Structures are given as C-alpha cells and as structure tokens.
Amino acid sequence: MNTLMRIALLAGVLSCGFGGVGLAAPKPMAIDNAALSNEANGVNWAAYGRTFSEQHFSPLKQINADNVSRLGLAWSLDLPDVNFSTTAPLAVDGVIYFSPGISEVRAVDAKSGKQLWRYDPEVAKFAPQKLRAGWGSRGLAFWEGKVYLGSRDGRLIALNAKTGKPVWSVMTVEPDDHRYITGAPRVFNGKVIIGHGGADVGATRGYVTAYDAKTGKQLWRFFTVPGDPAKGFEDKAQEMAAKTWKGEWWKLGGGGTVWNAMTYDPQFNRIYLGTGNGAPWNQKIRSPGGGDNLFLCAIVALNADTGEYVWHYQTNPGETWDYNSAMDIVLADVMIDSKPRQVIVHAPKNGFFYVIDRATGKLISAEKFTKVTWAERIDMSTGRPVEIPNARYEAGETLIWPGMIGGHNMQPMSYNPDTGLVYLPTTELPGYYNDKGINTATWKYPKELGWDVGINDVNEDTPMNIGGSALQAWDPVKQKSVWSVPTPGLMNGGTITTAGNLVFQGQIDGKFIAYAADTGKRLWSFDASNAVLAPPITFSVGKKQYVSVITGNSGAPSVLGTPQAQYGWQARINARRLLTFVLDGKGQMSASAAPAQIVPLDDPQFIVDAVLADKGKAIFMEKYCVSCHGFGAVAAGSAPDLRASALALSAPAFEQVVRAGILQSKGMPRFAELSDADLNSLIHYLRSRARESLAAAKAK
Ligand code: HEC
C-alpha cells in the first residue's frame, strides 16, 4: 500500500472511532482477515509480523523520533525457570500473549504487567526426545478469540484467549518422527497453517498443513519435497519436483522444512512458504549426481484455499550448505522504473537480497547484502546463482561466506513504507565445508535423534575476530544499503519499524535501541541486563502507545561461542524478562546481576585422555549438547557453561543429570541412550575445554 492509500485508510479508521492513539478507548476488535489486512490501525499487534504483509511495521507514532528519548519502562515481568525466550509477543485488546520456555503460552495485562493465565502443553509427556533442539517457540497466532500455538512435539493447539484453556489440539507430525515445531502458525481465511523443523536431525520430509481455525479439522497438506515415486505422488507439483532429484532421496527424507516463514497474500489469495535446507545438507549423499532438488531453499506460492502449487523461486538450486530460504518473506508495494510493483522482499541465509514479483514469481533483482563468496552474482536471465569453483566442496575443503549461520537468519527484518527501507539484521561469518573421510555412498543417519548433516561438523569455539554483524537499512528498489550501523557480536535481535520514524532492535550486549528510521541515528537505548534478541512489538491501550520485548538468549544466537558469550550473560543468574515501555515510564526491573565472565573449573588430579576428549567432542555435537551449551562448550546464556560446572566434575552427578534426566523439568533433556563410555568421553571433553580456556586466559 502506498503512503497516500494509508493516509486515506487511516482517515477512515479515525472517523469510525477506533484505532488512533489519543482517541476513545478501543472496542474489542475481531481479529480476522480485515484486521490482519489493515495496515492503518495500529492498536493491536495480532500476528507475528503484525499484519499479513509481515512488514513488522506499526502506523503508531505517539512514540516518535522527536520524543523517544522520554521512553521509559512501564513495567517488567521476571520469567524465572524459562530457558528459551527469543520469542515474539502478540498484543490484542490490551493483553500480551507470548510463548516462553518449551512451548508455554502466557497472557499478561499490557497496562499492569500482571499475569492473567499460563498454559503448559507438557511437551516432555508427549515426546521427551524432542526436547533436544536448543530453541523455543518464536511466536503465536491469533484469530477470533483464540490463540494458536505450535508445540515443540508437533501439536497445533488452539487456546481460548480469555481463559488459556485448550479448545482443540491436533498432532501435526508423527510422534516418533524427527519433526518438531518452533515457528509461529499463521491464520487467514479461517484456516490455520503450520510447518515444522527437523531437517538437521534425521530423515525428514518437509510439509505444511492447513486446518480449520474453529475446529482443527485438517483441510490440506503440501509436501515441500517429493516422496517415494513407487508410492505415487500426492500432487502434480511432487511429480515435477521428483524430476529434479537423483538416487533414492526419499530414504533420507530430503528436508525442505518450513520451520519459519509463511506469508499470506490477500491480494492473490496465496500463501508463500520459505523452505529450508536439504536433509542431509550434503547433496552428494542426498541426491548423488546433482539436480535442483525442488523445493529446497525456495519460496513456494500456493493457492491459500486448496494448497495447490502456483509458482516457486529457488534461491539455491541443489543446496548443499544449509542455505535456508526460511527467512522471512515480506510483502511490499514499490515503484520500480516508475511502475507500481507488488513484490516479495527476501533476505535468505545465502547473503543475497531478492526482490520477486508476487504475481509471477519472477526475479526482479538480487544483490549481495553482506560478504558473499560462494557465488559471483545471480544471473538475471535465468534467476540462478553463478557459483564459484569448489563452492560445493567438490574438490576438497572450502571456506566461503556466508556459512551455515547465514548472512541473515530467523531474526525478522522490517519494512517501513514511509522510508521505503528494509531494516535487516546481518551477520558476516564464513563457513568451512568439507566431507573428507565421509563415504557418501554408505552414509547413514545416527540411530537416535541427533545432529548429523553429512559433512564434517565444526564444533569449535568461534574465534573473536572472524566476523561481525550490522543493522542495515536496505533500499529494495535501488538494491543498496542506505545506512548501516555495526552491532556487537555476531547475531542480534529482530527489528520493527514505525510511522514515528523509528527502528527498534535489541542487541547481544544487553542494549535495547531505537534508531531514526531515515538516518540510522541512535536516539535512545535501554540497559536490559540480559541479551535482547527477540523481535519487539508496539501497540496501544487506551491513549497510550507501548513497546514490548522479551530478554534472554537462546537458539542460534546462543551457540556461537565467545563472540556472543563475551558479554557475560549467564543462564540462571541473569533474569529473563518481559519488558514494556511507555513515554515517561518510571518502572523498575528487579535487581539484576552484573554481567560476569565465566571462570572454568579445573581438577588438577584429572588426566585428560586426548582420544576420549575427541570422542566426547563428537558426542557433544551429535547429541545436540552444542545447541544449548554452545560451540566448544562456551555458553552464551542459554544454558549453563559446562566448563564451569561443578556437576561435570563428578561422574555420578553427571550421570544423574545427563542420562537419568533429573533436570529435565528445567530444560535439560534426558539422554538415556548414552553409555558409561559416552558419558566418560563427554567428561574428558569438558575437562579438556576447561583447561584450554584457562590456559588461553593465562596467556593473555
Ligand atoms: C535443549 C537444551 C539442552 C541440551 C540439548 C543439553 N542441555 Fe544440558 N542443560 C540445559 C539447561 C537449560 C540446563 C540447566 C538446567 C537448570 O537450570 O538446572 C542444563 C544443565 C546441564 C548440566 C548441569 C550443569 C550444572 O552445573 O548445573 C550438565 C552437566 C549438562 N547440562 C550437560 C549436558 C550434556 C552433556 C548435553 C548433551 C548430551 C546437554 N547438556 C544437552 C540445556 C540443555
């Protein structure tokens, strides 16, 4: 929508008496297609990206670039015993809904911060093995009085928004498969849609399923990669896709999971899916001999009523690097060569910023937004990347930018129709790829749920000066950065932008910052006493505009070792909180522990066996310890740093925690399959890491 249209709509909204800040208290508003298409009414933030466009843009401007220096805390709510907190809240009619921990849902009064209800889906009872992924839920959906949650174990649950009581619940996956849910469901046309993750941990074939939002009845399912041809294809798209695969890919799952981005386009009545990496990553194993491997790393457009395929655009044909296209898909109406164009803007992991025609799926432009070496450019005549020699580690190891963390990951970007700019959190970090010593013909997944992607994993602490991060304001029409500010560490929070000429972003160093959207000038910052990595929201209640954000580290930003851990936030010590801000707010947080550097523990009596330590290092990676406790066992606040754990000094205590699972209710999963020898190897690995870290600190 252009600015004029928005002003016209806003005038309409104001005259019918609700919506604008500074007017009479809003009547409760039905959250339906009309509400989620309405860019002009900023009272609620009722969907992950606020509206269908996923712009993460609010038309509110009571808080603006001129007065944001007066922004202060309205209230703060501590979230004890919550180990995942990088989640985006919703705000509907003065109530904030959010999903901390392992797929919990809480409702809080937005004015007072008082908790109204809490719902725990008790994931551990349903599928304890699915507690192993180191990330929580990224968000929720709302539709006509119900809150929708995708739970870690794969259920889609509709809750009564007033009471928090379940209305219906369906299992969207197989209880014993590798699929799990961390993404936000989306609702449109009375249908709720959900995908899943799991393409890094086993033979997983991706799909999305749409259900009736009222009843939970299944309406349609679309698979993102083809299955076994001998069993017949589910639809024509599968048949087309199967021609781009080789070997017996279905035995390995194929991947292409839709774990994050799904965008409904009311203009065309389509749903766009952002698909993920291959399972396993290494194409030589997955589809020996190559092929494009549709629909991995692509945007796929479906008819939103039937789930039928309409078009696709693949960012990485024959993906082999974990270059997901699961990063957010944002709708925008822009002028290109003096013509209005309805476009998708998309910045996937591979480091190119794509502008795609929504009507046809045709590429309009693609440029590098961060350091990119795997490809020279995107060929505009074919829409395909021009890869460099050995990008596919076909002739041995390769170091390329970006790596598996991506130039942009799941932290949402935002688009401001007033400035015409996209606010994009970016990372610059290479990836080291090789499959030396792996027999690609006989490779198999591990038996239990565990990390194995068909290349040699790097489980090392990340060197301090290997990369960096930035907040960039990107012009999607000119395809260039308009302003850019360096940000701390390697990965920071998602962004929102407002009609008050503001951009909000949280950082790993504990700062929550407001910038001028047009210039990038830093206007305001708040010390949150913990990392701020979740996307914020803004909304209004009565006459006041509020901004809310959740603090604490988890997920991808917490695994990256010292560059992220250097800020000293510690699990169990630094409180995670829901913070809410208002102009002239005078609220206080509970007392906060100062950040502190980890001091590894040593046991001088312990003799490290290098062979066992190496084995332990492999187990630490494969068993997913790394996803919560960090690369090289350097934790950045998601879970305790095991180099400093007294528990890890005692074999019986270690066994109780890791194999018997006595801390499962606190987010430490149970690994019943580990043998005594495995546990012993892990202990040797942790002792060797503690000693290496102590020696490195001394040498400084
Ligand atoms: C899904 C996230 C997750 C994974 C995966 C995970 N842990 Fe943990 N771990 C935690 C959390 C959270 C705690 C802290 C629980 C608490 O607050 O008591 C913890 C605590 C521990 C502790 C106790 C530390 C202390 O000093 O209290 C040990 C030891 C440990 N984990 C080892 C492991 C090992 C070994 C693995 C892999 C086999 C592993 N963890 C995998 C999340 C995880």
Side-chain angles (χ1 to χ4, degrees), residues 135-318:
W135 24 90
S137 159
R138 281 184 302 283
L140 300 166
F142 198 101
W143 184 266
E144 293 185 340
K146 294 186 199 69
V147 182
Y148 297 85
L149 161 77
S151 74
R152 174 73 74 80
D153 54 302
R155 280 170 294 160
L156 181 65
I157 303 171
L159 303 173
N160 179 317
K162 287 244 146 46
T163 63
K165 297 269 181 301
V167 179
W168 56 256
S169 166
V170 289
M171 185 51 103
T172 74
V173 303
E174 302 301 320
D176 54 354
D177 66 11
H178 298 97
R179 298 181 176 95
Y180 56 82
I181 302 178
T182 53
R186 307 298 200 281
V187 199
F188 52 89
N189 300 348
K191 300 177 178 68
V192 52
I193 186 170
I194 191 74
H196 60 81
D200 303 320
V201 289
T204 300
R205 180 184 179 200
Y207 60 69
V208 296
T209 318
Y211 299 87
D212 185 313
K214 267 209 183 101
T215 63
K217 183 176 169 255
Q218 183 172 327
L219 301 173
W220 53 259
R221 173 166 290 175
F222 180 84
F223 287 90
T224 53
V225 295
D228 181 354
K231 293 191 179 151
F233 297 114
E234 290 85 356
D235 51 53
K236 286 236 155 55
Q238 308 302 316
E239 199 177 339
M240 167 176 90
K243 298 196 174 100
T244 67
W245 290 77
K246 301 214 162 91
E248 296 182 310
W249 72 87
W250 59 91
K251 292 191 173 156
L252 298 166
T257 57
V258 182
W259 55 268
N260 188 50
M262 294 183 287
T263 299
Y264 173 68
D265 184 343
Q267 203 95 38
F268 296 97
N269 194 33
R270 287 179 193 154
I271 181 103
Y272 305 117
L273 312 175
T275 66
N277 54 277
W281 299 358
N282 190 339
Q283 195 192 20
K284 288 177 224 167
I285 297 172
R286 193 182 65 236
S287 177
D292 284 357
N293 295 177
L294 293 175
F295 299 98
L296 298 183
C297 298
I299 296 179
V300 184
L302 305 180
N303 176 315
D305 288 331
T306 61
E308 274 167 300
Y309 167 91
V310 181
W311 58 252
H312 76 273
Y313 175 77
Q314 191 175 37
T315 54
N316 277 96

Side-chain angles (χ1 to χ4, degrees), residues 225-493:
V225 295
D228 181 354
K231 293 191 179 151
F233 297 114
E234 290 85 356
D235 51 53
K236 286 236 155 55
Q238 308 302 316
E239 199 177 339
M240 167 176 90
K243 298 196 174 100
T244 67
W245 290 77
K246 301 214 162 91
E248 296 182 310
W249 72 87
W250 59 91
K251 292 191 173 156
L252 298 166
T257 57
V258 182
W259 55 268
N260 188 50
M262 294 183 287
T263 299
Y264 173 68
D265 184 343
Q267 203 95 38
F268 296 97
N269 194 33
R270 287 179 193 154
I271 181 103
Y272 305 117
L273 312 175
T275 66
N277 54 277
W281 299 358
N282 190 339
Q283 195 192 20
K284 288 177 224 167
I285 297 172
R286 193 182 65 236
S287 177
D292 284 357
N293 295 177
L294 293 175
F295 299 98
L296 298 183
C297 298
I299 296 179
V300 184
L302 305 180
N303 176 315
D305 288 331
T306 61
E308 274 167 300
Y309 167 91
V310 181
W311 58 252
H312 76 273
Y313 175 77
Q314 191 175 37
T315 54
N316 277 96
E319 112 85 9
T320 193
W321 310 271
D322 190 31
Y323 281 168
N324 283 263
S325 243
M327 288 63 241
D328 45 347
I329 298 170
V330 178
L331 311 184
D333 294 346
V334 296
M335 296 294 284
I336 298 178
D337 298 333
S338 318
K339 284 200 196 85
R341 299 289 292 269
Q342 294 162 318
V343 302
I344 282 171
V345 293
H346 181 56
K349 275 191 186 177
N350 76 18
F352 284 93
F353 193 101
Y354 295 85
V355 179
I356 295 164
D357 187 320
R358 269 148 62 195
T360 61
K362 292 275 175 301
L363 181 65
I364 296 173
S365 60
E367 293 296 336
K368 296 174 178 177
F369 62 82
T370 181
K371 180 166 179 177
V372 176
T373 64
W374 67 274
E376 283 167 24
R377 64 195 157 82
I378 307 300
D379 181 328
M380 288 309 298
S381 61
T382 60
R384 297 168 71 92
V386 180
E387 293 174 13
I388 60 157
N390 205 33
R392 298 175 169 270
Y393 41 103
E394 64 270 18
E397 62 192 356
T398 188
L399 189 75
I400 51 173
W401 278 261
M404 67 172 187
I405 293 301
H408 170 222
N409 205 298
M410 79 272 250
Q411 290 78 12
M413 58 189 195
S414 53
Y415 172 71
N416 189 321
D418 298 340
T419 60
L421 300 176
V422 172
Y423 303 97
L424 174 65
T426 64
T427 294
E428 192 171 300
L429 189 66
Y432 172 62
Y433 294 88
N434 78 86
D435 55 15
K436 271 186 291 193
I438 295 176
N439 183 336
T440 55
T442 59
W443 180 92
K444 279 200 174 60
Y445 286 111
K447 236 177 48 225
E448 309 280 342
L449 184 78
W451 181 274
D452 197 336
V453 292
I455 65 170
N456 290 311
D457 297 308
V458 181
N459 172 24
E460 308 286 349
D461 186 13
T462 314
M464 276 297 286
N465 295 322
I466 195 173
S469 68
L471 171 63
Q472 292 198 48
W474 190 267
D475 182 332
V477 175
K478 299 198 177 104
Q479 280 281 23
K480 65 173 200 247
S481 184
V482 170
W483 57 258
S484 171
V485 293
T487 45
L490 295 174
M491 205 182 253
N492 292 283

Side-chain angles (χ1 to χ4, degrees), residues 488 506-512 526-532 551 567 569:
Q507 296 190 158
I508 182 72
D509 64 356
K511 302 258 190 289
F512 183 47
F526 179 85
D527 275 307
S529 283
N530 206 335
V532 189
T551 70
Y567 301 99
W569 310 121

Side-chain angles (χ1 to χ4, degrees), residues 131-132 572 624-625 628-629 640 642 645 647 663 666-669:
L131 296 173
R132 290 183 185 186
R572 289 196 189 126
Y624 246 104
C625 315
C628 295
H629 294 288
L642 297 182
S645 165
L647 265 167
L663 295 179
K666 306 254 183 212
M668 166 61 200

Side-chain angles (χ1 to χ4, degrees), residues 654-671:
F654 193 74
E655 190 277 332
Q656 282 296 298
V657 171
V658 181
R659 187 164 66 194
I662 56 167
L663 295 179
Q664 184 161 288
S665 68
K666 306 254 183 212
M668 166 61 200
R670 179 173 179 207
F671 295 86

